[in-house]
Amino acid sequence: MSPKIELLAPGGDIDAIKAAIIAGADAVYCGLDTFNARNRASNISFDELVGIIRLAHEYECQIFLTLNIIILEREFKTLAKLLSKLANTTLDGVIVQDLGMLYILNKHFPTLDIHASTQLTTHNIGQIPFLKKLGASRVNLSRELNLKEISAITAVSHQEDVLTEVFVHGSLCVAFSGLCYSTSASVGNSGNRGRCSQACREEYKPTESGNKFPLNIKDNSAFFDLPALIDAGVHSFKVEGRIKGASYVHTVIDSFRKQIDGFVNTGELLEDGERLYKVFNRDFSNAFLRGDLNQSMFIENPRDNSKYHAIDNSNAISVVQIQEVEQNLNDEKEAIHADVFDKIKYLSIEKRTLSLKFTGEVGEPLTVTVNINEANTKKILQSNSQTAAQAQVHVMQSERTLSTSDKNCLDHSAIEKRFKSFDNAEFNLVELSTDNIPANVTIPFKELTALKNKIAALLNDGKSVLPEVELPKLVRHAKKDKGAKLSLLICDENDINLGEVTDADIYFKLPDAYKRGCTKFVSFFQDNPRLIPWFPSVLIGKDYDVALNILEQVKPKLIVTNNTGIANRAFELGIEWIAGPFLNTTNSYALLAMKEGFNCSGAFISNEINRQQMKTIARPDNFKLFYSVYHPILLMTSRQCFFQQSVGCEKPRIDNGCMLSCDKSTSITNLKGVSFAIDKQKAGYPSIYNKDQFLNTEIIQDLAPLFDGFMIDLTNIGAGDKESPDKTMLIKQFEQLLNNDSNRESSELVGHSNALSTEQEKAQEALNSLVPDSTNVQYHNGL
């Protein structure tokens, strides 16, 4: 493992990337105009990326490309073409969220270094070997972790030869990354597709505690925690901000560069951090890192706080004083902007120019003189002149000699046809000369191909150009059993008796949090062997240890898990496991990743995708597909408390007792009049839910042949003060819908919905009556 401390900068556009490089970033992460989780950033084109890589490498700076969204089935052909192009660059790494993309990168693109995105919600030690097996060389840890938790995970990462990244500055999401569906549920703007609409920054109607921005938290800054993170073994200090401009990026990166270098050289923190307040900020907090989750993390201003910080620092009181402070700050910002753009104006990402001159005589080899011209911008800056332009000249020859012929003559058009492709993202082919080739000569075309390959390798830093990868066609395997079985999700021990009215599979949802050393669930599952353990998405620290103990002591025949750490351990123990709906499974390659790598036996398909997007998914052999047809619509889950800013709370900060004992519920209402339920179960994380339940019976008509099982959630979580429908009646009506579909299975999905039988129509009417506030808009919107 490298002891080097990496400063990783955001690059939303070309100027911001240049600013990061010149400020001393060790690496920059940026995104193309597709497949990345910041669609609001300017982003860059592929041709620009190639130039950026070349520029960055002049400064010994690496470039990482964000491909950090979940991928739809229809996109893999385009994705493979892009990855094939990237494999022929000197790109230093790709940042990935989707398990299917991890799978094809690991299997088909071994030269591309894989980094696991923070969108994978990595927060426990079991997830590191899971991601390592999928090819990840580094992991960006969840932003909610404290130093002790980071240290524990990083220690395991070192054992697995995996690097860790930690966000040290920039915007904070109030929700766990990868588990926020706040706008996906209503308008299809999924954070998992880079289209976050920032519902957490919106203004809401004043809450009981008087807050208009109850979900808005301050920016993150670990500026003074760098020594502790270094001691923890963290490799990369990552700054957030791909929608920020060059002035912001340069100021923050330059500040962190000086702080890191000063500490490494002297053992002391020498910078006061005041420059960080001169650019956009929402004030700063390091409460997650300290493990001190309190109300001071929230701020009522979701916009730039720099003005208010300057006013407070200057003790300005009068209007004149405040105006003077504001003017001084504006002048400083303009000066920063001018200074940054003066520094980056000589940095060029222009293509290198390429000249190819072909010469030859009968009986002599075909000769090509390759002339490469490039301006080394670093040398130009150092010499303050344009004389640093470099020229490289290389001479190459064919193996065979030219011969006289009246057929298949070697002329300009024949050479242009084969060599014009060098006018590409990397080079401007300014000259392709064939004047010195005599008429009526020929050479085998395979000689031209060999010569082209030699030139291509030369231009590709001596590496052979890799061929384009075509992903093999996926086989659609039929499901083993006809019909689709009903399953129930419960979390109340009193609901175990529902098993008396149905033969449905019963999943029991385990809590997110436990008392240390808790063993009650071991005996509980041993006494109730029919129950199938359902593990939640987030299991941090001791909570993961307890959940792991339950798995290891009970050793159930089957589990459902939404946590990849538990999935990895289940695989090691030989326990059959199903991937839960919060693993965001949207494509066939994600299924293959889990089946081939971890012997997964089935998966819930994400509720974010629509009917057509589901139809394209190919089932692996001997693999089951599931879908949740009735559940509360989770919008976000947080480690922070939602009640401090909504109804108020007498406790100044969250502690373990809050997690275990608090079971409050309330709601917040946005300015459009739409209310959202805030729910906190005992031993659960605070969560926000949509006002309507998800109820999708259409899928039973549309796609029954695709699925082995449909689940209904009977946990009452997210219901708030609404009266829950009769659970026995819900089970009866869903079973009626499914029973009528058991005789119409086929290996092919029909192209239209099947007509409802009389019994199904009655069941549908009954369900609509039992669940009056429902929606299945996600099933129609998709991603």
Side-chain angles (χ1 to χ4, degrees):
M1 305 292 288
S2 171
K4 179 178 172 60
I5 303 161
E6 178 185 273
L7 178 57
L8 178 54
D13 61 24
I14 294 170
D15 286 338
I17 295 168
K18 290 178 178 179
I21 292 170
I22 208 74
D26 296 300
V28 178
Y29 64 103
C30 54
L32 296 175
D33 47 14
T34 185
F35 296 125
N36 89 87
R38 284 293 183 273
N39 73 322
R40 291 188 298 125
S42 297
N43 296 313
I44 57 178
S45 69
F46 181 83
D47 285 8
E48 290 168 335
L49 173 65
V50 172
I52 285 164
I53 294 170
R54 185 173 62 255
L55 173 66
H57 288 178
E58 288 178 19
Y59 285 80
E60 299 181 350
C61 176
Q62 295 184 307
I63 295 293
F64 306 142
L65 186 69
T66 55
L67 299 172
N68 52 342
I69 59 170
I70 53 176
I71 308 297
L72 301 174
E73 195 76 19
R74 59 178 168 78
E75 295 174 322
F76 274 92
K77 185 175 181 180
T78 301
L79 179 62
K81 288 182 180 294
L82 172 60
L83 294 175
S84 294
K85 291 168 65 178
L86 293 173
N88 283 306
T89 69
T90 53
L91 181 69
D92 299 291
V94 289
I95 304 171
V96 181
Q97 172 188 7
D98 188 89
L99 296 183
M101 191 188 294
L102 280 162
Y103 175 83
I104 67 165
L105 279 165
N106 198 28
K107 197 173 185 73
H108 300 289
F109 301 93
T111 62
L112 290 174
D113 194 41
I114 305 170
H115 302 176
S117 168
T118 191
Q119 290 288 113
L120 279 160
T121 329
T122 306
H123 54 267
N124 66 50
I125 59 175
Q127 294 170 295
I128 300 300
F130 181 92
L131 293 169
K132 171 67 179 296
K133 190 165 185 179
L134 287 173
S137 68
R138 71 161 72 188
V139 176
N140 185 198
L141 302 182
S142 290
R143 283 174 257 206
E144 297 76 18
L145 299 177
N146 61 44
L147 276 166
K148 183 178 179 181
E149 293 157 353
I150 290 169
S151 297
I153 296 172
T154 298
V156 171
S157 297
H158 287 175
Q159 294 170 12
E160 296 285 343
D161 197 26
V162 172
L163 301 173
T164 54
E165 287 178 359
V166 169
F167 275 104
V168 295
H169 194 84
S171 297
L172 275 176
C173 298
V174 72
F176 284 104
S177 296
L179 299 175
C180 181
Y181 309 94
S182 58
T183 49
S184 171
S186 55
V187 292
N189 285 346
S190 173
N192 286 317
R193 290 284 289 177
R195 295 194 291 266
C196 172
S197 298
Q198 293 195 316
C200 55
R201 307 293 183 195
E202 287 183 11
E203 183 176 357
Y204 291 78
K205 291 183 178 179
T207 64
E208 289 182 39
S209 56
N211 298 106
K212 295 181 180 180
F213 297 90
L215 307 180
N216 184 58
I217 58 177
K218 294 177 181 177
D219 287 351
N220 169 43
S221 190
F223 197 67
F224 301 105
D225 300 289
L226 300 181
L229 289 169
I230 292 170
D231 287 344
V234 173
H235 170 76
S236 182
F237 295 169
K238 188 171 189 176
V239 173
E240 185 276 342
R242 280 201 293 127
I243 61 173
K244 306 292 198 334
S247 299
Y248 174 92
V249 171
H250 188 278
T251 301
V252 174
I253 296 304
D254 187 59
S255 297
F256 269 84
R257 178 79 280 155
K258 287 181 170 63
Q259 186 78 306
I260 292 170
D261 291 349
F263 177 76
V264 169
N265 292 330
T266 69
E268 297 181 6
L269 296 176
L270 305 178
E271 299 291 312
D272 61 10
E274 274 303 305
R275 292 171 63 206
L276 300 174
Y277 289 96
K278 304 295 184 184
V279 291
F280 183 95
N281 69 86
R282 298 183 184 91
D283 203 357
F284 298 118
S285 172
N286 65 348
F288 275 137
L289 201 60
R290 288 186 290 106
D292 182 15
L293 309 187
N294 57 69
Q295 194 168 1
S296 70
M297 289 182 71
F298 291 92
I299 185 170
E300 277 290 276
N301 177 28
R303 289 167 284 276
D304 189 5
N305 189 66
S306 58
K307 175 178 70 175
Y308 303 105
H309 177 82
I311 291 170
D312 289 343
N313 261 18
S314 64
N315 297 316
I317 300 174
S318 69
V319 173
V320 173
Q321 289 173 326
I322 291 173
Q323 287 177 341
E324 183 179 355
V325 170
E326 290 179 352
Q327 184 59 52
N328 289 339
L329 179 62
N330 287 336
D331 291 344
E332 283 186 86
K333 288 190 173 188
E334 288 179 8
I336 290 171
H337 183 84
D339 180 57
V340 170
F341 278 85
D342 185 59
K343 288 177 178 177
I344 68 175
K345 65 184 178 182
Y346 293 112
L347 300 184
S348 173
I349 63 167
E350 294 300 314
K351 299 178 185 180
R352 291 178 283 180
T353 61
L354 177 66
S355 170
L356 301 177
K357 295 182 179 180
F358 291 84
T359 59
E361 296 290 342
V362 174
E364 298 291 335
L366 177 65
T367 300
V368 58
T369 301
V370 182
N371 195 305
I372 306 167
N373 282 283
E374 59 181 320
N376 186 309
T377 55
K378 188 173 184 179
K379 289 185 177 179
I380 289 173
L381 285 173
Q382 291 171 346
S383 63
N384 196 28
S385 74
Q386 297 293 329
T387 61
Q390 294 179 315
Q392 299 179 38
V393 179
H394 304 268
V395 178
M396 296 181 174
Q397 292 183 323
S398 62
E399 295 291 332
R400 301 276 294 272
T401 60
L402 295 169
S403 59
T404 303
S405 176
D406 293 329
K407 297 180 180 179
N408 299 323
C409 292
L410 187 63
D411 57 13
H412 184 83
S413 62
I415 288 180
E416 183 182 44
K417 180 179 179 181
R418 285 161 179 79
F419 291 87
K420 66 181 180 181
S421 61
F422 288 121
D423 190 36
N424 53 29
E426 182 78 44
F427 294 96
N428 273 326
L429 183 57
V430 295
E431 181 181 20
L432 199 160
S433 172
T434 58
D435 294 342
N436 292 320
I437 297 177
N440 300 322
V441 297
T442 189
I443 196 170
F445 285 145
K446 67 179 182 180
E447 286 290 315
L448 290 181
T449 301
L451 198 56
K452 178 182 177 181
N453 290 340
K454 286 181 183 179
I455 297 172
L458 169 71
L459 300 180
N460 198 37
D461 293 331
K463 298 186 299 182
S464 296
V465 175
L466 299 173
E468 182 176 317
V469 172
E470 289 191 20
L471 298 178
K473 186 173 182 179
L474 294 171
V475 179
R476 288 179 170 275
H477 293 276
K479 67 183 185 184
K480 293 181 67 176
D481 302 318
K482 285 190 174 184
K485 189 176 182 181
L486 184 69
S487 57
L488 321 177
L489 178 62
I490 63 172
C491 66
D492 188 338
E493 295 177 27
N494 294 322
D495 285 335
I496 295 175
N497 59 14
L498 292 173
E500 298 173 6
V501 300
T502 179
D503 64 352
D505 289 335
I506 302 178
Y507 307 127
F508 189 90
K509 183 182 184 299
L510 284 159
D512 301 322
Y514 308 85
K515 291 182 179 178
R516 189 174 297 278
C518 170
T519 58
K520 63 173 283 191
F521 289 102
V522 173
S523 57
F524 172 71
F525 283 112
Q526 289 172 340
D527 294 340
N528 297 277
R530 181 180 173 183
L531 298 182
I532 300 168
W534 174 288
F535 290 87
S537 300
V538 180
L539 291 164
I540 300 176
K542 71 172 182 63
D543 297 324
Y544 172 71
D545 295 338
V546 172
L548 203 61
N549 184 61
I550 295 168
L551 181 71
E552 294 172 344
Q553 296 300 312
V554 177
K555 291 185 179 175
K557 292 182 179 179
L558 174 68
I559 67 166
V560 177
T561 179
N562 295 277
N563 186 279
T564 55
I566 293 295
N568 185 67
R569 188 61 181 139
F571 165 65
E572 292 174 342
L573 294 171
I575 295 171
E576 184 180 355
W577 67 281
I578 294 170
F582 296 111
L583 287 183
N584 298 326
T585 303
T586 59
N587 59 71
S588 307
Y589 294 99
L591 304 181
L592 288 172
M594 294 185 288
K595 178 177 171 54
E596 293 182 10
F598 304 93
N599 201 29
C600 180
S601 65
F604 278 81
I605 300 302
S606 169
N607 283 92
E608 287 198 279
I609 61 176
N610 63 27
R611 172 182 182 271
Q612 190 58 39
Q613 291 162 347
M614 289 180 209
K615 280 180 64 176
T616 58
I617 293 176
R619 174 200 308 275
D621 188 25
N622 196 27
F623 195 88
K624 294 184 177 180
L625 298 180
F626 302 90
Y627 184 80
S628 177
V629 293
Y630 170 67
H631 57 259
I633 299 175
L634 176 68
L635 300 181
M636 63 178 72
T637 297
S638 181
R639 202 173 190 183
Q640 179 53 274
C641 176
F642 290 133
F643 299 106
Q644 292 173 335
Q645 297 290 98
S646 55
V647 294
C649 182
E650 60 185 25
K651 297 188 74 169
R653 56 184 43 82
I654 298 174
D655 57 28
N656 195 48
C658 296
M659 278 294 292
L660 294 173
S661 60
C662 178
D663 59 352
K664 292 180 181 178
S665 64
T666 185
S667 63
I668 54 174
T669 304
N670 65 19
L671 297 185
K672 296 178 182 177
V674 180
S675 294
F676 305 97
I678 297 178
D679 185 279
K680 168 72 177 68
Q681 300 286 308
K682 287 184 178 179
Y685 283 103
S687 300
I688 299 180
Y689 293 88
N690 207 27
K691 64 183 181 65
D692 298 323
Q693 299 285 91
F694 184 81
L695 176 62
N696 182 17
T697 56
E698 287 181 51
I699 194 171
I700 298 174
Q701 299 169 246
D702 295 343
L703 301 179
L706 180 63
F707 289 98
D708 297 87
F710 293 106
M711 188 192 78
I712 59 174
D713 185 334
L714 303 180
T715 60
N716 296 338
I717 294 173
D721 56 2
K722 290 182 181 178
E723 184 177 348
S724 297
D726 184 281
K727 295 178 182 179
T728 301
M729 287 296 294
L730 280 173
I731 294 169
K732 179 180 177 182
Q733 304 311 321
F734 276 108
E735 285 184 331
Q736 184 65 59
L737 279 176
L738 289 176
N739 286 341
N740 277 27
D741 281 284
S742 62
N743 295 321
R744 64 178 183 86
E745 294 290 327
S746 66
S747 59
E748 297 293 329
L749 294 177
V750 293
H752 55 83
S753 298
N754 292 277
L756 289 171
S757 68
T758 302
E759 291 79 5
Q760 284 179 309
E761 287 180 347
K762 289 180 180 178
Q764 178 69 73
E765 290 175 4
L767 285 170
N768 290 338
S769 177
L770 286 165
V771 191
D773 298 323
S774 67
T775 181
N776 67 347
V777 67
Q778 281 179 295
Y779 179 63
H780 294 282
N781 284 343
L783 294 176

